[in-house]
Amino acid sequence: MNEEIIAKAREIIATNAAGEDKGYCALTLMDTDDFPTTSTISVSKADGINWLTFCTGFGSDRIKRINRCSKASVCFNSIDHNITLVGTIEVITDPEIKKEMWYRGLENHFSGWEDPNYCVLRFTTSRYNLLIDWKEAKGFI
């Protein structure tokens, strides 16, 4: 049963990870006062529920929060699903990864994938709670 629900979650995440600001999820990080803070963000790429990447800038408050605490949670939800992933997040500046994660739409915020302000966030899942078509799956990766 878990495999079926995980497969459906993978499809939902893939639909939302098309880049070009076509899909969003909620990303929760701890703020500088140790309170959870949630914001929406576009997913650049994903490997099912295993990992997701996001593109942002060094001027973002997210970077300060991640540097302080790497624990994070991601949630995709709609009327027929709630995909909650819990894990860690890191800031990546590797030029090859920045180039690979770049998508059209980011040019509204950065001069290109080589922009020194542009970086990639990589979220790695350690546990999940999936509710899809009223079927639930929980587990660890």
Side-chain angles (χ1 to χ4, degrees), residues 73-125:
S73 181
V74 174
C75 182
F76 297 85
N77 67 350
S78 77
I79 195 77
D80 60 351
H81 66 262
N82 186 347
I83 298 167
T84 301
L85 310 174
V86 177
T88 57
I89 194 163
E90 63 182 315
V91 179
I92 297 176
T93 58
D94 179 276
E96 291 303 313
I97 294 174
K98 287 173 56 172
K99 184 177 181 181
E100 179 184 347
M101 298 305 145
W102 182 265
Y103 60 87
R104 206 179 90 224
L106 290 174
E107 68 269 1
N108 295 329
H109 308 285
F110 306 101
S111 61
W113 65 267
E114 297 160 318
D115 188 320
N117 188 43
Y118 162 65
C119 64
V120 173
L121 307 178
R122 182 181 169 110
F123 173 85
T124 303
T125 305

Side-chain angles (χ1 to χ4, degrees), residues 17-37:
E20 300 185 28
D21 297 329
K22 292 183 180 178
Y24 298 92
C25 66
L27 171 64
T28 302
L29 302 168
M30 300 305 283
D31 70 14
T32 55
D33 295 320
D34 291 325
F35 286 95
T37 305

